[in-house]
Amino acid sequence: MSRDESCADVTIHRVGADSVRPLRAAVLRPGSIPGTFTYPDDDAPATGHFAALLGGSITGVVTMLEESCPHRPDLAEPAPRLGAWRLRGMAVDPDLQGRGIGSRLLTRAIAHALDHDARVLWCKARLGAVSFYLHNGWHAFSPAFELAEVDKVGSVRLMRFDLPGAWP
Ligand SMILES: CC(C)(COP(=O)(O)OP(=O)(O)OC[C@H]1O[C@@H](n2cnc3c(N)ncnc32)[C@H](O)[C@@H]1OP(=O)(O)O)[C@@H](O)C(=O)NCCC(=O)NCCS
């Protein structure tokens, strides 16, 4: 696909955690040992991993998993279903960014959470990606803050996607 072409030939698929980890690591944690960039709930049954495929190659990945927002403990009830879902591991092949692949992955991931009766969608957005989420209808609800050193991410902002009645 040349830089001028759209992502019309890209298809989005639900895949296993093993399929998203290589691109997740390459884009979000370059230099990490292959297979080590995992999330605690990667293998939870409800967790949704999605990949954008083009010609058999994975060009983008994202994960949507059920996790309460630590900065909004008031939204962690009612147990046992949290109703809060976290977007993680959003990454598009650097050569194919800016063609709508990330937006399509985001839409699919949101649909997955809604299929599971999500009440709250949130993420920690790297500062460089905040505009991407804003463009896609998300809202920032925190100032920038530093993540723990182990994440090597730098500053992030908490962002949410509004669902009716979810955010008082
Ligand atoms: C952020 C990312 C996932 C976006 O994916 P993408 O396929 O490039 O995004 P899209 O092409 O769907 O972009 C949709 C819109 O957001 C805008 N946008 C995308 N990334 C942006 C960015 N980093 N900053 C500002 N705007 C951005 C695009 O210009 C586009 O707007 P347009 O439709 O008016 O042209 C991708 O750039 C990426 O993998 N970045 C590096 C890893 C990263 O930061 N991941 C997010 C961690 S929280």
Side-chain angles (χ1 to χ4, degrees):
M1 188 162 63
S2 77
R3 283 209 165 271
D4 293 333
E5 289 175 316
S6 73
C7 63
D9 292 334
V10 172
T11 53
I12 309 296
H13 302 266
R14 186 172 182 182
V15 297
D18 287 347
S19 295
V20 301
R21 285 180 183 139
L23 189 61
R24 176 198 284 174
V27 175
L28 295 172
R29 195 173 290 172
S32 61
I33 299 169
T36 62
F37 190 4
T38 64
Y39 299 138
D41 282 328
D42 258 352
D43 297 320
T47 295
H49 303 284
F50 301 95
L53 293 183
L54 177 68
S57 297
I58 292 180
T59 61
V61 294
V62 71
T63 295
M64 183 69 91
L65 50 82
E66 196 170 25
E67 181 179 328
S68 62
C69 179
H71 306 270
R72 294 294 301 264
D74 54 313
L75 297 174
E77 299 298 333
R81 285 188 64 93
L82 303 175
W85 286 71
R86 178 178 179 182
L87 188 87
R88 300 200 77 173
M90 168 64 80
V92 173
D93 180 334
D95 290 337
L96 297 170
Q97 291 175 6
R99 293 175 175 80
I101 294 172
S103 297
R104 288 180 59 188
L105 284 165
L106 192 56
T107 298
R108 183 64 187 84
I110 292 170
H112 176 79
L114 292 177
D115 284 346
H116 289 76
D117 302 322
R119 293 189 304 126
V120 171
L121 304 183
W122 67 282
C123 74
K124 292 179 182 175
R126 298 183 182 197
L127 292 192
V130 166
S131 295
F132 164 74
Y133 292 111
L134 290 173
H135 182 92
N136 281 284
W138 290 59
H139 301 279
F141 66 100
S142 83
F145 64 95
E146 292 283 328
L147 280 183
E149 179 67 22
V150 66
D151 286 320
K152 299 177 184 173
V153 165
S155 294
V156 297
R157 295 186 73 181
L158 292 169
M159 298 193 76
R160 71 182 197 239
F161 185 79
D162 283 339
L163 301 172
W167 292 86

Coordinates of all heavy atoms in Angstrom, one line a residue, residues 17-39 42 58 60-63 88-92 94 126 151-152:
A17 N -4.0 -13.3 21.9 CA -3.0 -12.4 22.5 C -1.7 -12.6 21.8 O -1.0 -11.6 21.6 CB -2.9 -12.7 24.0
D18 N -1.3 -13.8 21.5 CA 0.0 -14.0 20.8 C 0.1 -13.3 19.5 O 1.2 -13.0 19.1 CB 0.2 -15.5 20.6 CG 0.5 -16.3 21.9 OD1 0.7 -15.6 22.9 OD2 0.4 -17.5 21.9
S19 N -1.0 -13.0 18.9 CA -1.0 -12.4 17.6 C -0.7 -10.9 17.7 O -0.1 -10.3 16.8 CB -2.3 -12.6 16.8 OG -2.4 -14.0 16.5
V20 N -1.2 -10.3 18.8 CA -1.0 -8.8 18.9 C 0.3 -8.4 19.5 O 0.8 -7.3 19.4 CB -2.2 -8.2 19.7 CG1 -3.5 -8.4 19.0 CG2 -2.2 -8.6 21.1
R21 N 0.9 -9.4 20.2 CA 2.1 -9.0 21.0 C 3.3 -8.5 20.2 O 4.0 -7.6 20.6 CB 2.5 -10.1 22.0 CG 1.6 -10.3 23.2 CD 2.0 -11.4 24.1 NE 1.0 -11.5 25.2 CZ 0.6 -12.7 25.6 NH1 1.0 -13.8 25.1 NH2 -0.3 -12.7 26.6
P22 N 3.6 -9.1 19.1 CA 4.8 -8.6 18.4 C 4.7 -7.2 17.9 O 5.7 -6.4 18.2 CB 4.9 -9.6 17.2 CG 4.2 -10.9 17.6 CD 3.1 -10.4 18.5
L23 N 3.6 -6.8 17.3 CA 3.5 -5.4 16.9 C 3.3 -4.4 18.1 O 3.9 -3.3 18.1 CB 2.4 -5.2 15.9 CG 2.3 -3.8 15.2 CD1 3.6 -3.6 14.4 CD2 1.1 -3.7 14.3
R24 N 2.6 -4.9 19.1 CA 2.4 -4.1 20.3 C 3.8 -3.8 20.9 O 4.1 -2.6 21.2 CB 1.7 -5.0 21.3 CG 1.5 -4.3 22.7 CD 1.2 -5.3 23.8 NE -0.2 -5.7 23.7 CZ -0.7 -6.7 24.5 NH1 0.1 -7.3 25.4 NH2 -2.0 -7.0 24.5
A25 N 4.7 -4.8 20.9 CA 6.0 -4.5 21.5 C 6.9 -3.7 20.6 O 7.6 -2.8 21.0 CB 6.7 -5.9 21.8
A26 N 6.8 -4.0 19.3 CA 7.7 -3.2 18.3 C 7.4 -1.8 18.3 O 8.3 -0.9 18.2 CB 7.5 -3.8 16.9
V27 N 6.1 -1.4 18.4 CA 5.7 0.0 18.4 C 5.7 0.7 19.7 O 6.2 1.8 19.8 CB 4.3 0.1 17.8 CG1 3.8 1.6 17.8 CG2 4.2 -0.4 16.3
L28 N 5.2 0.0 20.7 CA 5.1 0.6 22.0 C 6.2 0.4 23.0 O 6.4 1.2 23.9 CB 3.8 0.2 22.7 CG 2.5 0.6 21.9 CD1 1.3 -0.1 22.5 CD2 2.3 2.1 22.0
R29 N 7.0 -0.6 22.8 CA 8.1 -0.9 23.7 C 9.3 -1.4 22.8 O 9.7 -2.6 23.0 CB 7.8 -1.8 24.8 CG 8.8 -1.8 25.9 CD 8.4 -2.6 27.1 NE 7.3 -2.0 27.9 CZ 6.6 -2.5 28.9 NH1 6.9 -3.7 29.3 NH2 5.7 -1.8 29.5
P30 N 9.8 -0.6 21.9 CA 10.9 -1.1 21.0 C 12.1 -1.6 21.9 O 12.4 -0.9 22.8 CB 11.2 0.1 20.1 CG 10.6 1.3 20.8 CD 9.4 0.8 21.6
G31 N 12.7 -2.6 21.4 CA 13.8 -3.1 22.2 C 13.5 -4.1 23.2 O 14.4 -4.8 23.8
S32 N 12.2 -4.3 23.5 CA 11.9 -5.3 24.5 C 12.1 -6.7 24.0 O 12.1 -6.9 22.8 CB 10.4 -5.1 25.0 OG 9.5 -5.3 23.9
I33 N 12.2 -7.6 24.9 CA 12.4 -9.0 24.5 C 11.1 -9.5 23.9 O 10.0 -9.4 24.6 CB 12.8 -9.9 25.8 CG1 14.1 -9.3 26.3 CG2 12.9 -11.3 25.4 CD1 14.5 -9.9 27.7
P34 N 11.1 -10.2 22.7 CA 9.9 -10.6 22.1 C 9.1 -11.5 23.0 O 9.6 -12.4 23.7 CB 10.4 -11.4 20.9 CG 11.8 -10.8 20.6 CD 12.3 -10.4 21.9
G35 N 7.8 -11.2 23.1 CA 6.9 -12.0 23.9 C 6.7 -11.6 25.3 O 5.9 -12.1 26.1
T36 N 7.5 -10.6 25.7 CA 7.5 -10.2 27.1 C 6.5 -9.1 27.4 O 6.3 -8.8 28.6 CB 8.9 -9.9 27.7 OG1 9.4 -8.7 26.9 CG2 9.9 -11.0 27.5
F37 N 6.1 -8.4 26.4 CA 5.2 -7.2 26.6 C 3.8 -7.8 26.7 O 3.0 -7.8 25.8 CB 5.4 -6.2 25.5 CG 4.7 -4.9 25.7 CD1 4.1 -4.6 27.0 CD2 4.7 -3.9 24.8 CE1 3.5 -3.4 27.2 CE2 4.1 -2.7 25.0 CZ 3.4 -2.5 26.2
T38 N 3.4 -8.1 27.9 CA 2.1 -8.7 28.2 C 1.3 -7.8 29.2 O 1.9 -7.1 29.9 CB 2.2 -10.1 28.7 OG1 2.8 -10.1 30.0 CG2 3.0 -11.0 27.8
Y39 N 0.0 -8.0 29.2 CA -0.8 -7.3 30.2 C -1.4 -8.4 31.1 O -1.7 -9.5 30.6 CB -2.0 -6.5 29.5 CG -1.5 -5.4 28.6 CD1 -2.1 -5.2 27.4 CD2 -0.4 -4.6 28.9 CE1 -1.7 -4.2 26.5 CE2 0.0 -3.6 28.1 CZ -0.6 -3.4 26.9 OH -0.2 -2.4 26.0
D42 N -4.4 -10.2 29.7 CA -4.3 -10.6 28.2 C -5.1 -11.9 27.9 O -5.7 -12.0 26.9 CB -2.8 -10.8 27.8 CG -2.3 -9.6 27.1 OD1 -3.0 -8.7 26.7 OD2 -1.0 -9.6 26.8
I58 N -0.1 -8.3 9.8 CA -0.7 -7.5 10.8 C -0.1 -6.1 10.8 O 1.1 -5.9 11.0 CB -0.5 -8.2 12.2 CG1 -1.3 -9.5 12.3 CG2 -1.0 -7.2 13.3 CD1 -1.2 -10.2 13.6
G60 N -1.8 -3.4 12.4 CA -2.2 -2.7 13.6 C -2.9 -3.6 14.6 O -3.4 -4.6 14.3
V61 N -2.7 -3.2 15.9 CA -3.3 -4.0 17.0 C -3.9 -3.2 18.1 O -3.5 -2.0 18.2 CB -2.2 -5.0 17.6 CG1 -1.7 -6.0 16.6 CG2 -1.1 -4.2 18.1
V62 N -4.8 -3.8 18.8 CA -5.4 -3.1 20.0 C -6.0 -4.1 20.9 O -6.4 -5.2 20.4 CB -6.4 -2.0 19.6 CG1 -7.7 -2.7 19.1 CG2 -6.7 -1.1 20.8
T63 N -6.0 -3.8 22.2 CA -6.6 -4.7 23.2 C -7.6 -4.0 24.0 O -7.4 -2.8 24.4 CB -5.5 -5.3 24.1 OG1 -4.7 -6.1 23.2 CG2 -6.1 -6.1 25.2
R88 N -6.0 -0.8 25.6 CA -4.5 -0.9 25.8 C -3.9 -1.3 24.5 O -4.5 -1.9 23.6 CB -4.2 -1.9 26.9 CG -4.7 -1.6 28.3 CD -4.0 -2.3 29.4 NE -2.7 -1.7 29.7 CZ -1.9 -2.0 30.7 NH1 -2.3 -3.0 31.5 NH2 -0.8 -1.4 30.9
G89 N -2.6 -1.1 24.4 CA -1.8 -1.7 23.3 C -2.2 -1.2 21.9 O -2.1 -2.0 21.0
M90 N -2.7 0.0 21.8 CA -3.0 0.6 20.5 C -1.8 0.9 19.7 O -1.0 1.7 20.1 CB -3.9 1.8 20.7 CG -4.1 2.6 19.4 SD -5.0 1.8 18.1 CE -6.7 2.0 18.7
A91 N -1.6 0.2 18.6 CA -0.3 0.4 17.8 C -0.6 0.1 16.4 O -1.2 -0.9 16.0 CB 0.8 -0.5 18.4
V92 N -0.1 1.0 15.5 CA -0.2 0.8 14.1 C 1.3 0.8 13.5 O 2.1 1.6 14.0 CB -1.0 1.9 13.4 CG1 -1.0 1.8 11.9 CG2 -2.5 1.8 13.9
P94 N 4.4 1.8 11.9 CA 4.7 3.2 11.6 C 4.7 3.6 10.1 O 4.4 4.7 9.7 CB 6.2 3.3 12.1 CG 6.3 2.2 13.1 CD 5.4 1.1 12.7
R126 N -0.8 8.2 25.7 CA 0.5 8.8 25.5 C 0.3 10.2 24.9 O -0.6 10.4 24.1 CB 1.5 8.0 24.6 CG 1.8 6.7 25.2 CD 2.7 5.9 24.3 NE 3.0 4.6 24.9 CZ 4.0 3.8 24.5 NH1 4.9 4.2 23.6 NH2 4.2 2.6 25.1
D151 N 7.4 1.3 32.7 CA 6.6 1.4 31.5 C 7.4 2.2 30.4 O 7.1 2.1 29.2 CB 5.3 2.1 31.7 CG 4.3 1.2 32.4 OD1 4.3 0.0 32.1 OD2 3.6 1.6 33.3
K152 N 8.3 3.0 30.8 CA 9.2 3.8 29.9 C 8.3 4.5 28.8 O 8.6 4.5 27.6 CB 10.1 2.8 29.1 CG 11.1 2.1 30.1 CD 12.0 1.1 29.4 CE 12.8 0.4 30.3 NZ 13.6 -0.7 29.7

